[in-house]
């Protein structure tokens, strides 16, 4: 079918973007995502596409804005501090209803922090990084292969709903190498949907304008209503997640990305010990998969949320629930990755009903 | 010989055309438009030269310049 | 006036500017500059091949006046947005339009780097020495002693520094193909400005690279004078600080 | 008392100044007040308006959706605000500029303010004529108090300016007094 | 006692900051907070303090960082798009445990939006604007006088807990004028606590370093643990709110800032109609006053959350509740302010049990 | 070697540098420049009166090496942080230290505006033509043809523009009091660099305003040569692009 | 099989290269693999390490907290990682640099790799000696396969380089073979 | 006459002091320190002039220079 290549997650995301038809990449170096920028520097020009090292993250996101406005698939990538600088641009992209893909290879924060993996930008990605009422589609791969394969989803959803898609990885996924199954023969170049709103010269049509300034309150409210309707549509149709052995589970872990990997190991070991553990792994962090969590709660499951943060996604787990439920948390911070045996201990404690 | 026409709805009474008309052919009118401005008015008697100063400086594209056909080329140049 | 019989329209609205009342104050330079740009667009007949980028500043609504494709950019990021457009649409004509707060304050990095990369875009830089849109604060280009909302006693070089001369700054870079400063203080100067804009268009159309036209422009409202006085102050006070002239010219170099 | 007034017209017509003066004066008379200015993208020549609420009670909602009084200086403002007049409200309307208008449930007080101001020799004091009329009709403060505030606030301007402003408020006041006397105007 | 002055909220906040001993203000113009910058331009130099117009919001927040690091009370202010640009700096301030005050006079978003009031930066302020696990204390005044008086609280809390305090206003509060009661005689200059960590020359001590780079994962985790402990302390001691007639309320509104003003009017009118309405007005948005909400729910109240957004604070209301409760939402967007009569309709509907 | 009897220490570690092994690669210029700065600090005896600001870049850990108060700044914002310190502590000596990515890319706006305001700070700008910290990408100062992680075929001026000459750029501004470019490519040049640093200190200590020293410095690791070759390349390839010299001098002007 | 190896030493000692080569080769032999490199702030001269996991099964947790094998090239790495060796694990220890160490529960294979490399004429191939020893001891792949991968990966370098690298792995292999023969080394 | 002392734990074997010593008094040693570097060694026999080139260029402050007392002033100057 395809051949296996040992790739770093950062490289895999780059190759995935290229295969998804990304026509322009703008980036600014930051560890631990440099291999992605480096990969694009080598490969985008080979495909006759645009690679440009921007003077800053601000410039990069706004170059993406320009290319997206011109109607092509464009992306940027960064890591936590750089993502903070992109928030104004992301808010503009959302307001302009422009499709674009942004990868955040999260690291330890806050501040300069360190270059080890983190998951503490969850809130920033899923709500409220920038100003105003907007949402991004947030995808969370948990393996190098998924870093590759999710890029097509990222661009497709972005174009379909004219939204920014954030791919929320972490330093571990970015730097780790794993086999990636790459199609043998070059795939047909994906065809993005027509973009009659794109700015590319007004030959044969009225001139197009893209702007988010709406001085009249009612007009700005109308834009917001349209955005919210679109978000509701996405929420009702595009929620993605992986469920592992939840059917009979007494303890359901909820985790994404690298944390989900650790939880899978904890699950395997728990089952060996006869503990009925399960896992819900959100693949879309926004829209958040509330339904399987509600269903598990209805079956009487208890929850253990595992994150590389002080506890952010746990809000969404709790908001998913209709009534009271036992939701516990285990997290590591500062670039530390949870250890499966400690997760297992947590599961055991919960299973024992303590 | 030439003449200009003030598009009253667009004029903001800034007075710049008046200031820069070498023939003093323009002045502020008495009329107030729905935006509260008193548009400039053109005085045909003042021998407009068609110099295009007024159209060049009007910030609101509120002046049209008319000229006899033969003069046209020269005027177009001047307005640039 | 009867113009129908013997006279013909010698000058009227350019096709590529929309017939609409602008939101600009009476005597504001933005209106003049918009018109000049649109006259040149018509001259080259490229209205349908343009993508322009409007700034955040009083000219934010430029997209309502230009009758060609136009994009908004976050405050100061106009050159980055223009870069993103031009790089993927190299055969479209791309220009950006910026005020002094937009370009010389928050957007300093973006303009310098777009210029330094020699992006094939034109930048029209409207220097009115003040933040118009936000009600008259000091701009990086405000002149020494200028009273603004944030320099109530006049700009003091000891604490606020001196007006930045952007053309001179950019002229130290190797890549820019054309840099000129003009003023729109009189019909004569406006004609010169138009010539400069034409040259900028030519620079891009002939693939020569980055061009930059700084236009000294009045803001009667926040200079707190009437439009005629503003034009006089433009000549008397701004031009001495910002000397007019060509700072880079690819035609001279070859 | 609960007075909600919206004053609206061209920017530069001095409406914000006028609203602030009223708010200031009423605050000093022990009332609760809020004053909210609003302008469009247009700095000059655009429309501007302000909302003033004056009340014996705490003012909670700072939004004057329903106005007990409107002071309307131009057509655009008329179109925008006319409908927000309360059934028992008063609308001071600048008929020099707003020449077409419909009878509403409230009471319209048509005043050719711009023309009258021109007659006074300064087109800009139309708002002050309205102010005189408004203060009189709503009995907000004594005429002396009004003059006092005007004098205090206009100190920085030239003395002629104060003079013509006083003439304007006096005229506005007289217009209302006359119409009330003649029965032409019935105040609610 | 004091004299009443008619002031705009923006000016009142400036005067409040000056009276709170703010020694340095850095700002970049943006509507609808320009009057604040303008006020500081006039008054800070008169008090011999630092006023500087920065070249951007980024520069402004980092100048604040410098002055805060030097040990003085420093602040900046902006509005929504400008706040997005400050997020990296705020994350650094949090990581460096530096006290600082930031005012956001929120406007309509997303993107450029408009200059009318908004409340859609709630998520950004209370969680996740910048990268990493950090919190800011978020204060929400609801009157011009409170814009003035809350500034002392803002600086005091900031210094006490070495945290950023965000004062979350909106364009209506900023531009509206109301009487402010200003003390007659100049108050004694507040004395901030000693700051042995401040950078001001190492005379007679070891040299001080302020940095958030902690390459070692365990050290960065330790910083995060310390931060979280501090946040827990703040949450347990510094929650502030106003409660209006909740004791017997069937319907409790939850609203802050301008929305709370509107709700107070709706409450007054509802009570006139015999409807038992109440209001919880969070004054600290973070830490969020969960306790009175839980208490009201325990009394069987239903909730109506009113915001000038698509619904952001409602998450915190729902997260405050232990079990199921009836939480409804009414919001306006795009710079529109809710009308009290529409809020009243909502109350009536809920009270009628529909 | 027996140095105890007849010999005395003629040169040793400056007091204000901490005795610790740095994280820098062998032959990295940062170490030399740190030492030079600390030598001057000792010379003026102002260790206890300093607040310095470290950048984000390889020199991020400078705070571990300098034995005086030091602050971290977000990437590129060093001059803004230094401004915030100096404005409230005008009698402390404040300097900032930046790399070329930090200063000439993401921090372009901050350095230009700090310079333009004439902030009373010293800025030491370490130009090694590459992003060291992030593993060797192109910097704004990378020379034409230079191979980096993001210019695998060498910097191409057509798409990436030309190396930015920061001294020349800043010299167009009125406020800066002292601007010089030096190189640390040899003991001789290092002595000249030290003199420049001394002058910068003097500029601030005497209240003359903003000073800026650009130090051309080797990054053997990402130039992918050994330290000795790096010093040679510094002379052969960098100095021709970035000419050494004084660009502004308050002492010359008076 | 489930092999978790941590290789650690100075940056520039070629450990990351070595780990990647192993991962690549084992992937091609149909194993599941993950490879994770990690370096400190120090680019050169600092410490660098990599974690490689090789398994017949899906690899879930990508973190090798407990190592079945350690390849330790310097003292700092010894201090950091020694404790993570599983009781039944193997530690290849560069005794040219790490001169003090304690007996742990696992098995230590002391090799004076740096000295041996110097003897081979290139101080940098110490890692390759370790590689030869490691591959042999863990029986990961045939010697030919190892040589094949080395040749493939080192093509860009000078031919002498390949030669000395091959000499190094050969030496490492021989050391293990000899010690096993002499019974000095008992493989788990 | 002067002499230098290499602080072995700080030396990173960059070789710069060796390159710039006019008397060839420095060379890389055989010893490997705990950081994996082979510190430079000083050869007393090579008549160190005390020129300070090595201390000036050493990026790691790993060299101390010793001189006879009378020479001190001159040397200090040279090292600047
Ligand atoms: C990020 C951000 N900061 C600040 C603003 C507010 N703002 C709008 S326009 C402007 C400056 C306008 O000045 P200038 O660029 O000189 O244009 P002018 O209005 O004078 O033509 C500012 C600061 C904004 N919209 N976004
Ligand atoms: C906002 C942000 N963007 C990017 C980075 C990543 N980063 C760290 S240092 C650096 C550049 C280093 O280059 P330079 O300033 O030239 O210093 P050098 O390492 O070469 O001395 C970058 C891009 C960051 N930490 N923060
Ligand atoms: S064309 Fe010249 S002469 Fe005629 S009205 Fe205009 S300015 Fe006056
Ligand atoms: S220049 Fe134009 S806008 Fe100004 S007064 Fe003349 S016609 Fe009117
Ligand atoms: S404020 Fe100044 S720049 Fe803005 S529209 Fe008015 S005159 Fe023009
Ligand atoms: S990467 Fe370059 S700049 Fe950074 S420490 Fe190494 S040699 Fe120095
Ligand atoms: S002082 Fe001069 S001569 Fe002596 S060892 Fe150093 S470089 Fe050589
Ligand atoms: S210059 Fe310093 S670090 Fe380099 S070899 Fe000489 S003593 Fe060692
Ligand atoms: Mg301006
Ligand atoms: Mg560098």
């Amino acid at each position: 079918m395809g051949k296996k290549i040992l790739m770093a997650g950062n490289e895999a995301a780059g190759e995935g973007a290229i295969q998804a038809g990304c026509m322009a990449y703008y980036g600014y170096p930051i560890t631990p995502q440099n291999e992605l920028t480096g990969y694009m520097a080598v490969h985008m020009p080979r495909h006759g596409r645009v690679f440009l090292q921007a003077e800053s993250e601000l410039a990069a996101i706004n170059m993406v804005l320009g290319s997206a406005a011109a109607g092509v698939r464009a992306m940027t990538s960064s890591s936590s501090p750089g993502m903070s600088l992109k928030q104004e641009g992301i808010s503009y992209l959302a307001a302009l209803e422009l499709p674009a893909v942004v990868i955040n290879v999260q690291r330890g924060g806050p501040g300069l922090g360190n270059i080890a993996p983190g998951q503490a930008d969850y809130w920033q990605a899923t709500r409220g990084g920038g100003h105003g009422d907007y949402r991004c589609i947030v995808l969370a791969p948990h393996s190098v292969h998924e870093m590759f394969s999710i890029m097509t989803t990222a661009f497709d959803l972005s174009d379909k709903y004219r939204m920014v898609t954030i791919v929320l990885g972490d330093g571990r996924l970015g730097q780790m190498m794993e086999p990636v199954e790459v199609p043998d023969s070059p795939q047909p170049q994906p065809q993005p949907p027509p973009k009659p709103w794109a700015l590319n010269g007004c030959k044969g049509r009225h001139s197009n304008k893209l702007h988010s300034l709406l001085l009249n309150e009612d007009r700005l409210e109308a834009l917001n209503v349209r955005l919210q309707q679109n978000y509701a549509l996405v929420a009702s149709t595009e929620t993605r997640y992986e469920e592992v052995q939840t059917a009979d589970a007494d303890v359901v872990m909820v985790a994404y990305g690298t944390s989900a990997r650790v939880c899978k190991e904890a699950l395997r070991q728990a089952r060996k010990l006869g503990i009925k553990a399960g896992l819900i792994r959100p693949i879309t962090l926004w829209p958040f998969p509330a339904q399987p969590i509600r269903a598990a709660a209805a079956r009487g499951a208890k929850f253990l949320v595992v994150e590389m943060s002080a506890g952010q996604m746990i809000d969404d787990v709790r908001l998913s629930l209709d009534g009271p439920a036992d939701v516990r948390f285990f997290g590591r911070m500062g670039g530390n990755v949870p250890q499966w045996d400690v997760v297992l201990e947590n599961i055991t404690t919960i299973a024992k009903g303590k | 010989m030439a003449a200009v026409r003030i598009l009253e709805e667009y004029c903001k009474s800034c007075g710049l055309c008046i200031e820069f008309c070498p023939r003093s052919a323009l002045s502020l009118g008495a009329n107030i438009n729905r935006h509260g401005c008193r548009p400039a008015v053109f005085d045909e008697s003042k021998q407009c030269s068609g110099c295009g100063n007024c159209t060049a400086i009007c910030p609101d594209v509120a002046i049209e310049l008319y000229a006899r056909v033969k003069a046209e080329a020269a005027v177009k140049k001047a307005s640039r | 006036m009867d113009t129908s019989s013997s006279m013909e329209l010698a000058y009227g609205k350019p096709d590529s500017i929309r017939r609409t009342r602008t939101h600009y104050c009476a005597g504001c330079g933005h209106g003049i500059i918009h018109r000049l740009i649109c006259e040149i667009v018509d001259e080259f007949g490229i209205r349908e091949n343009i993508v322009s980028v409007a700034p955040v500043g009083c000219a934010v609504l430029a997209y309502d006046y230009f009758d060609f494709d136009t994009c908004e950019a976050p405050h100061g990021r106009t050159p980055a947005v223009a870069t993103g457009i031009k790089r993927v649409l190299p055969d479209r004509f791309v220009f950006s339009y910026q005020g002094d707060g937009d370009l010389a304050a928050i957007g300093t990095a973006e303009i310098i780097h777009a210029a330094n990369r020699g992006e094939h875009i034109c930048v029209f830089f409207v220097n009115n020495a003040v933040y118009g849109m936000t009600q008259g604060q000091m701009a990086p280009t405000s002149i020494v002693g200028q009273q603004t909302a944030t320099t109530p006693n006049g700009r003091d070089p000891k604490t606020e520094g001196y007006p930045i001369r952007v053309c001179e700054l950019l002229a130290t870079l190797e890549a820019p193909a054309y840099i000129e400063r003009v003023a729109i203080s009189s019909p004569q100067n406006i004609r010169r400005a138009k010539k400069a804009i034409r040259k900028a268009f030519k620079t891009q159309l002939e693939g020569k690279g980055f061009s930059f036209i700084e236009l000294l422009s009045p803001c009667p409202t926040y200079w707190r004078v009437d439009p005629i006085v503003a034009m006089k102050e433009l000549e008397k006070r701004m031009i001495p600080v910002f000397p007019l002239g060509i700072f880079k010219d690819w035609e001279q170099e070859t | 008392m609960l007075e909600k007034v919206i004053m609206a017209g061209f920017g530069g017509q001095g409406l914000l100044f006028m609203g602030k003066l009223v708010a200031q004066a009423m605050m000093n008379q022990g009332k609760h007040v809020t004053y909210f200015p609003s302008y469009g993208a247009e700095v000059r020549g655009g429309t501007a308006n302000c909302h003033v609420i004056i009340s014996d009670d705490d003012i909670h909602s700072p939004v004057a959706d329903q106005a007990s009084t409107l002071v309307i200086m131009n057509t655009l403002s008329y179109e925008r605000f006319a409908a927000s007049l309360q059934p028992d409200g008063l609308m001071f309307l600048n008929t020099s500029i707003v020449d077409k208008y419909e009878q509403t449930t409230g009471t319209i007080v048509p005043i050719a303010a711009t023309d009258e101001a021109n007659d006074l020799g300064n087109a800009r004091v139309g708002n002050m004529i309205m102010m005189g009329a408004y203060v009189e009709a709503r009995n907000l403060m004594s005429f002396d108090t009004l003059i006092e505030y005007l004098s205090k606030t206009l100190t920085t301007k030239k003395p002629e300016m104060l003079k013509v402003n006083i003439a304007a408020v006096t005229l506005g006041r007289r217009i209302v007094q006359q119409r009330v006397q003649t029965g032409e105007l019935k105040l609610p």
Side-chain angles (χ1 to χ4, degrees), chain A, chain B, chain C, chain D:
Chain A
M1 234 215 65
K3 58 178 180 296
K4 275 194 180 169
I5 304 179
L6 190 69
M7 277 182 132
N10 284 330
E11 297 165 344
E15 182 57 31
I18 289 172
Q19 299 210 9
C22 172
M23 300 303 291
Y25 172 91
Y26 306 97
Y28 186 78
I30 187 167
T31 314
Q33 66 84 55
N34 292 318
E35 298 77 16
L36 175 44
T37 310
Y39 192 90
M40 296 310 245
V42 172
H43 291 89
M44 289 293 277
R46 285 195 193 156
H47 289 82
R49 307 189 191 170
V50 173
F51 167 85
L52 187 60
Q53 181 178 333
E55 61 271 27
S56 69
E57 289 86 354
L58 279 166
I61 190 75
N62 284 298
M63 290 171 183
V64 167
L65 194 156
S67 294
V72 311
R73 291 190 157 181
M75 74 175 271
T76 182
S77 62
S78 190
S79 176
S80 309
M83 285 300 292
S84 292
L85 292 171
K86 292 187 195 286
Q87 295 306 320
E88 186 205 27
I90 292 175
S91 174
Y92 270 79
L93 283 161
L96 294 168
E97 297 170 275
L98 287 174
V101 173
V102 180
I103 303 186
N104 179 2
V105 182
Q106 297 171 90
R107 60 189 242 182
L112 191 48
N114 63 24
I115 57 178
Q119 294 187 321
D121 305 348
Y122 178 93
W123 279 332
Q124 184 193 62
T126 58
R127 48 166 76 61
H131 58 286
D133 283 302
Y134 71 91
R135 296 282 196 173
C136 301
I137 296 170
V138 184
L139 299 176
H142 82 317
S143 69
V144 173
H145 180 77
E146 209 177 10
M147 289 280 278
F148 168 78
S149 62
I150 216 161
M151 293 310 297
T152 298
T153 316
F155 278 102
D156 286 351
L157 290 177
S158 178
D159 269 341
K160 181 164 177 196
Y161 297 103
R162 297 180 60 180
M163 285 176 70
V164 174
T165 301
I166 294 175
V167 176
L168 201 62
D170 63 60
R172 178 64 65 147
L173 285 170
Q175 309 240 300
M176 182 167 72
M177 294 185 117
E178 285 185 332
V180 173
E181 231 167 285
V182 179
D184 266 335
S185 52
Q187 298 299 98
Q189 169 80 16
Q191 285 304 324
K195 301 181 176 179
W197 46 263
L199 307 178
N200 48 17
C202 60
K203 197 162 232 144
R205 57 165 170 79
H206 286 292
S207 53
N208 280 339
K209 313 291 164 135
L210 282 171
H211 62 95
S212 66
L213 179 77
L214 293 164
L215 285 167
N216 179 286
E217 289 86 345
D218 294 333
R219 283 186 63 202
L220 184 57
E221 190 164 44
L223 166 65
N224 271 286
V225 168
R226 188 167 77 234
L227 292 178
Q228 294 297 325
Q229 283 166 349
N230 191 39
Y231 300 157
L233 176 65
V234 174
S236 68
T237 51
E238 299 293 356
T239 305
R240 279 146 215 245
Y241 55 90
E242 178 188 358
E243 227 168 338
V244 187
Q245 293 184 275
T246 51
D248 67 341
D250 298 324
V251 181
V252 170
M253 293 175 280
V254 188
Y256 72 96
T258 293
S259 296
R261 294 279 292 253
V262 174
C263 288
K264 281 189 175 175
E265 185 62 31
L267 189 156
R268 172 152 64 188
Q269 303 294 339
R271 288 278 170 176
K272 280 192 195 160
L273 300 176
I275 300 169
K276 289 185 182 158
L279 171 70
I280 294 170
R281 175 173 77 89
I283 297 171
T284 51
L285 300 179
W286 193 92
F288 188 78
Q291 185 274 320
I293 289 171
R294 252 197 311 273
R299 288 191 297 268
K302 294 171 177 176
F303 295 92
L304 174 65
V305 180
V306 180
E307 301 180 54
M308 278 138 56
S309 83
Q312 300 195 359
M313 186 176 67
I314 187 175
D315 276 9
D316 279 332
V317 173
R318 295 188 56 215
L319 287 166
S320 299
L321 298 165
D322 289 323
D326 190 340
V327 182
R328 310 275 181 97
F329 179 74
F330 176 67
R332 291 300 301 271
M333 297 179 285
N336 278 316
V337 176
Q339 289 161 290
W340 65 259
D341 47 349
V342 185
V343 174
L344 181 58
E345 277 168 32
N346 276 271
I347 296 173
T348 314
T349 311
I350 299 170
K352 286 193 187 139
K354 285 185 223 160
Chain B
M1 273 303 303
V4 306
R5 187 161 74 105
I6 309 295
L7 308 175
E8 303 207 345
E9 276 311 287
Y10 299 103
C11 173
K12 289 181 186 151
S13 322
C14 69
L16 289 171
C17 56
I18 301 166
E19 174 75 10
F20 286 99
C21 173
R23 300 286 166 96
S24 305
L26 296 159
S27 59
L28 275 199
N31 196 20
I32 292 189
N33 70 14
R34 61 181 256 121
H35 304 282
C37 303
R38 297 162 61 191
V41 291
F42 174 63
D43 181 348
E44 272 184 80
S45 72
K46 289 289 175 58
Q47 309 274 330
C48 165
S49 67
C51 69
N53 273 5
C54 55
T55 53
I57 206 147
C58 176
D60 287 279
V61 208
I63 310 182
E64 286 176 354
L65 174 60
Y66 292 84
R68 298 208 192 280
V69 186
K70 56 179 174 146
E72 193 187 350
V75 169
K76 269 220 167 147
K77 191 150 168 280
S79 80
R80 278 175 197 168
Chain C
M1 186 189 69
D2 173 30
T3 55
S4 52
S5 60
S6 55
M7 308 253 218
E8 283 200 0
L9 186 64
Y11 181 82
K13 181 189 83 59
D15 288 341
S16 54
I17 210 162
R18 290 183 50 206
R19 182 35 94 201
T20 175
R21 207 182 147 84
T22 70
H23 70 291
Y24 297 116
C25 308
C28 174
H30 282 301
I32 299 175
I33 297 165
H34 285 15
R35 176 172 47 77
L36 294 179
I37 292 171
C38 288
E39 284 175 16
I40 301 290
V41 169
D42 287 0
E43 215 177 285
F44 284 106
I46 55 175
R47 192 185 71 83
E48 295 183 331
N49 203 37
I50 287 187
V51 184
S52 77
V53 187
V56 173
C58 279
V60 62
L61 290 168
Y63 51 70
D64 276 347
Y65 311 137
F66 294 153
D67 195 10
F68 36 77
D69 284 8
T70 306
C71 194
E72 178 181 275
H75 188 32
R77 318 304 170 196
T78 317
V81 172
T83 298
I85 296 168
K86 185 72 181 185
R87 290 266 170 157
V88 299
L89 297 177
D91 58 352
R92 299 304 192 287
F93 184 92
V94 177
F95 77 82
S96 83
Y97 185 111
Q98 297 190 261
D100 39 35
D102 198 66
L103 182 139
I106 194 169
T108 310
E110 285 75 12
I111 191 62
I112 287 188
H113 286 274
N116 189 58
R117 286 189 305 264
E119 293 296 337
H120 287 237
I121 60 172
C122 307
V123 176
F124 301 112
F125 168 44
V126 180
N127 178 357
N128 59 11
V130 80
Y131 284 34
M133 178 78 159
T134 43
Q135 297 151 43
Q137 295 84 359
M138 180 186 74
T141 51
S142 292
I143 64 179
V144 170
Q146 188 177 334
Q147 286 188 358
T148 69
T150 45
T151 54
N153 303 315
R155 181 179 190 158
D156 178 356
K158 281 213 203 72
T159 45
E160 286 105 30
Y162 295 87
I164 294 185
R165 298 188 184 91
V166 179
C167 288
E168 284 82 341
L169 204 70
L170 297 184
T172 65
L173 303 174
E174 225 159 308
Y178 193 77
I179 300 179
E180 182 174 357
R181 183 184 287 122
V182 295
I184 56 157
S185 52
S186 67
Q188 292 81 336
N189 271 339
I190 289 171
R191 287 179 195 114
R192 278 188 210 116
K194 187 167 172 185
K195 210 175 129 214
I197 294 172
R198 187 182 294 117
K199 179 68 177 271
F201 271 61
K202 198 176 153 207
T203 302
Q204 183 175 164
L205 289 168
E206 297 189 5
K208 303 300 180 192
F210 181 84
S211 56
F212 185 87
I213 310 296
E214 174 171 345
L215 302 112
L216 305 182
S217 176
C219 171
T221 300
Y222 291 113
W223 296 2
R224 304 194 183 281
V225 294
D226 81 35
I228 296 167
V229 176
M231 285 301 188
K232 289 186 177 143
E233 302 228 316
L234 188 54
E235 298 237 333
K236 236 179 31 206
R237 301 197 181 201
M238 277 195 73
I239 296 181
V241 178
F242 300 102
L244 307 187
I246 297 173
F247 295 84
K248 272 222 162 193
D249 186 353
W250 51 273
E251 277 187 317
Q252 293 308 101
E253 278 159 20
T254 48
Chain D
M1 98 178 268
L2 176 59
E3 164 73 351
K4 300 178 180 186
V5 53
I6 298 175
M7 307 178 179
F10 299 123
Q13 279 183 319
L15 287 155
L16 304 193
F17 170 78
M18 180 170 152
K20 201 161 141 186
L21 194 149
V22 170
Q24 186 90 52
M26 300 311 288
M27 173 184 87
N28 289 348
Q29 296 193 14
K31 302 292 183 193
H32 291 89
V33 298
T34 77
Y35 161 86
F36 182 74
S38 146
Y39 9 63
E42 305 88 344
V43 179
R44 267 190 202 163
T47 56
N49 65 73
C50 66
H51 297 220
V52 181
I53 307 179
I54 304 159
S55 171
D56 292 325
D57 244 351
D58 279 345
I59 299 168
H60 291 323
S61 173
V63 191
D65 299 311
Q66 293 286 316
S68 44
T69 309
L70 289 176
V71 178
I72 299 292
M73 296 299 287
N74 67 7
T75 312
L76 295 171
S77 301
Y78 175 78
E79 288 160 3
R80 177 152 173 213
F81 291 108
S84 55
L85 190 65
Q86 284 173 4
D88 58 348
L90 273 183
M91 184 195 306
F92 296 84
L93 191 64
N94 179 6
T95 49
S96 303
I97 288 176
V98 189
D99 40 14
K100 272 177 241 150
Y101 58 90
E102 286 161 28
Q103 200 50 51
T104 52
T105 41
T107 307
I108 292 185
V109 187
I111 300 178
T114 308
D115 296 329
E116 301 274 11
N118 274 328
D119 290 349
L120 288 179
N122 186 329
R124 299 207 154 192
V125 297
N127 61 320
M128 283 297 149
I129 298 174
M130 291 304 215
M131 166 93 102
Y134 167 55
V135 167
E136 178 66 23
R138 283 301 188 193
N139 198 12
L140 291 177
M141 60 191 108
S142 76
F143 189 65
D144 289 348
T145 312
L146 176 56
I147 298 299
E148 188 195 315
Y149 274 93
L150 259 185
S151 320
K152 252 198 281 184
T153 348
L154 289 177
T155 42
T156 47
K157 309 261 165 91
K158 302 175 205 121
E160 313 91 82
M161 273 301 290
L162 179 59
K163 234 172 159 183
V164 68
N165 274 284
I166 292 177
V169 291
T170 312
L171 174 62
R173 179 187 188 220
R174 197 154 359 102
I175 292 173
V176 166
Q177 284 173 336
Q178 279 174 357
R179 292 199 196 164
V180 168
Q181 272 173 355
T182 60
E184 191 187 329
L185 172 59
K186 282 189 190 58
L187 292 174

